[in-house]
Structures are given as C-alpha cells and as structure tokens.
Amino acid sequence: MNISTRGRLVILGGLVSLASIGCSSAPGAPVGTTRSAIASSDAVSRAMEWVDAQLHYCEAAYGRPDYDPSCSSVCWRRENRAWDAYRSDCSGFVTWAWGLPPVGDGGYVTGDFAPYSPSFSHTISGRSLEPGDALNRNSGGHIVIFKHWETPGSSAVFMEEPGCSSPTPFAHEFSSSVSISGSDVYIDYEGDSFTAIRFN
C-alpha cells in the first residue's frame, strides 16, 4: 500500500507537532454539519456506495491532477456528481461517509481527525466501536471505517480506500482479527495499530 509521506504543521495549545497525514494534504476548515449527518446507518450506507462502485483510489477530486506517482496522473474514476468533488483516498472516503464537506482539495486529511485534532472527532474505547466510527492509524497516514463486529472485541469488518499500489486499489471491505487496549486497536489485516474515533 502506498502511503504519502507528506506532513503538516499542527498547532495545539501553543505546542507545535508534525502530524503525518498520508492520503493527501488539504487544509482543514470548519465543519458545517450536524450529528444526524453521520448517523451510523447513513455513514455505513454512504461508505458502501463507494465499496459497491469499487471506486478507484485517487488523491484528487474527479478529473483533477493526482500527484501520487503510483496512481494515474489525472483522477479518472467512476463519475458521480454526488462524490466527484471528493478525493477518493482514505481520508476523503471518511469525509464522504461522515457527510462532511469536500474542503480543500476534496476532503479532510488524516491529521484533521482524532487523535491528531479534536476539531470534529474524538477518541473512544476500541471496545465501544459502533458502525460508522473510524480508526486512524497511530503512525499516521491511513484511516479506515468500522462497519460491524463479527465477534465483539476480537474480529470485525472494516472499509477502506487502500492506495493505488494495493492489490485492490479501490474502496473495499475486509474482515480482520483485532487486539484492543483502551483506544488502541491492532488490526491484523493492516499489520498496524489504530486509534478508535467517533464524530463529536
């Protein structure tokens, strides 16, 4: 899986830290939505639209230049006026699923989500994950959507946009065993640890 190594400066309480965002680099902006916009059934249904369409990964909105060298130079994918303005990368996928606006170059980036920023999402216990929640990789650069538990606390179904160099370079769902410690969730399929998060 190709993950961009771009970074962005995040200022929190006067402290400056570099948060790796992967998936793209777009400036954050205020969210103009309500909790009802991402009711769990809506978030899962919206995510499934991309999964069902096998929407190809792009670090750009439809028809725009894609600067990920492992992708096409221009984002040509299945066209749909409802989602054309969104990047179909991992964080654009969550932006779309959560009903957030396609800010910047097509959606929020991983550094705009908890635990990197509390602007519109917060950390939760991994055991309390509900359909439509998300998990942001602890090392940065990737975010996935939680679909449902197969066995509560030990295996679940997730959805993601994985990257152009992935064997499945489009939105898809996958099942995985997980290990949980507080808000940290190790997803075996990803081979990495993520933080469980929820829209504020």
Side-chain angles (χ1 to χ4, degrees), residues 35 144 186:
R35 175 72 172 132
V144 301
Y186 186 88

Side-chain angles (χ1 to χ4, degrees), residues 57-100:
Y57 181 96
C58 285
E59 286 191 4
Y62 178 80
R64 302 299 304 261
D66 190 336
Y67 300 105
D68 182 336
S70 65
C71 297
S72 172
S73 60
V74 175
C75 181
W76 300 123
R77 62 184 188 212
R78 182 170 171 180
E79 187 177 7
N80 182 318
R81 287 186 355 198
W83 65 55
D84 281 352
Y86 290 82
R87 294 185 324 274
S88 54
D89 61 5
C90 65
S91 50
F93 181 43
V94 178
T95 301
W96 161 261
W98 280 11
L100 300 172

